[in-house]
Amino acid sequence: MNIDKENLKCPFCEKDINFKWAEKEIEISGSENNPIFYRLLQCKQCEEIIIFLFEGLTEEKKEEIQYQITASAMYTSTVSRTKSKPISSELSKLADKVSELIFQYPFRKTTFGITGIPDKVKESLREAEKCFSFGAKNGAAACLRKCIYAICDDQKVEGKEYDEKIEKLFSNNVEFSTLTKQIKWLGDKHCHNVNEEKYTFKEIEKATNIIPLIIRKIYGEKELIKDALNSLNQSFQKTKSK
């Protein structure tokens, strides 16, 4: 789970925040098998604290390891004199690896400046995002499927199966139809324990990030059309009355 440092919003006040505001990295575990550190970020708008938990080595630890590797290669005697602990191949690999965000509190949630989105749709998405923030792959996939079902039900799309309803929902957009069905199938596999291991957490992340786009596609376009109709109709009535 990577963090989008360019498009962060405060989960408290929902205003833009800058990851550069985050405090220094604090190591919790330096274990080779499970190195973990965290960073605190205080929103400068509402002054609330956000916690980011990462898997990997802190930049300070990476620099220390790289220094020891270089020192060991160039001056073997220097390492032995200081009695430095030999760097294992695992730690060497971790020093080159980008740290991964594994948890954020409060969790990231999408906000919409669109009216008319049913509470059930927004709640299902929020549940999926919450599960995702805790690394609960099955829960996130199930909630994303639930969100798609809620959209189809709200739009009163006809069809015996949800695959059929999705096709009718996006009858003019094959890409959106295929994408939505893929996310629905993702939930099917995890709910019924059918080859769910074939999907990585990266696929869950992509699905979680794309659902808000699908919601905006459906309800955002409807709101724009309704607003334009009202505005143009008012202008038409004024012209007609003259």
Side-chain angles (χ1 to χ4, degrees):
M1 187 191 339
N2 292 316
I3 183 170
D4 185 356
K5 296 180 180 179
E6 304 300 321
N7 299 294
L8 276 176
K9 287 192 178 294
C10 176
F12 293 100
C13 67
E14 298 178 359
K15 294 181 180 178
D16 292 335
I17 55 177
N18 194 324
F19 197 72
K20 291 179 181 178
W21 301 345
E23 297 178 7
K24 66 175 292 187
E25 299 167 340
I26 306 297
E27 185 180 82
I28 298 175
S29 167
S31 163
E32 282 187 36
N33 298 324
N34 191 30
I36 296 174
F37 68 90
Y38 72 89
R39 297 185 74 175
L40 300 179
L41 186 152
Q42 184 173 31
C43 175
K44 293 189 177 181
Q45 272 79 258
C46 66
E47 299 186 346
E48 293 287 353
I49 301 291
I50 308 156
I51 302 170
F52 298 92
L53 190 66
F54 293 89
E55 183 178 53
L57 299 174
T58 64
E59 289 303 315
E60 184 178 349
K61 193 67 175 283
K62 286 181 181 181
E63 289 176 7
E64 178 187 325
I65 290 170
Q66 291 294 356
Y67 174 79
Q68 290 188 43
I69 292 171
T70 304
S72 178
M74 295 179 64
Y75 308 105
T76 307
S77 60
T78 303
V79 177
S80 62
R81 283 202 305 269
T82 56
K83 297 181 180 179
S84 298
K85 183 180 178 181
I87 302 299
S88 71
S89 60
E90 288 302 315
L91 276 177
S92 182
K93 289 176 185 176
L94 283 171
D96 295 325
K97 189 178 178 182
V98 176
S99 300
E100 285 283 320
L101 177 71
I102 56 174
F103 176 70
Q104 174 186 327
Y105 181 82
F107 67 92
R108 289 178 289 171
K109 55 186 177 184
T110 303
T111 56
F112 300 97
I114 303 170
T115 59
I117 302 176
D119 289 340
K120 192 171 182 179
V121 172
K122 290 188 286 188
E123 286 168 6
S124 298
L125 174 60
R126 189 163 296 178
E127 286 175 6
E129 291 175 329
K130 188 172 185 179
C131 288
F132 178 76
S133 73
F134 280 96
K137 191 171 74 166
N138 288 6
C143 290
L144 290 175
R145 184 180 72 161
K146 180 181 173 183
C147 185
I148 291 169
Y149 285 3
I151 293 170
C152 291
D153 293 344
D154 174 67
Q155 296 297 299
K156 296 179 172 59
V157 188
E158 295 182 356
K160 292 183 178 179
E161 302 292 338
Y162 277 97
D163 286 348
E164 184 182 351
K165 291 181 180 182
I166 290 168
E167 286 181 3
K168 289 183 179 179
L169 183 63
F170 296 108
S171 57
N172 297 321
N173 195 319
V174 176
E175 285 187 345
F176 265 85
S177 174
T178 302
L179 184 60
T180 307
K181 282 193 288 185
Q182 287 283 0
I183 297 172
K184 183 257 182 190
W185 291 333
L186 185 71
D188 290 345
K189 300 298 183 185
H190 282 75
C191 286
H192 301 294
N193 297 318
V194 181
N195 292 329
E196 75 272 14
E197 70 279 357
K198 300 294 183 184
Y199 292 96
T200 67
F201 203 75
K202 194 67 181 176
E203 271 90 49
I204 301 291
E205 180 179 24
K206 288 179 180 179
T208 305
N209 289 337
I210 208 69
I211 282 288
L213 180 63
I214 292 171
I215 293 172
R216 289 189 178 97
K217 170 73 176 173
I218 297 169
Y219 296 96
E221 285 187 358
K222 183 179 286 188
E223 185 176 58
L224 287 171
I225 292 170
K226 184 179 179 180
D227 182 64
L229 279 172
N230 289 337
S231 179
L232 291 170
N233 185 54
Q234 288 175 13
S235 298
F236 175 73
Q237 293 300 330
K238 288 178 182 177
T239 305
K240 191 176 179 181
S241 62
K242 289 180 180 181

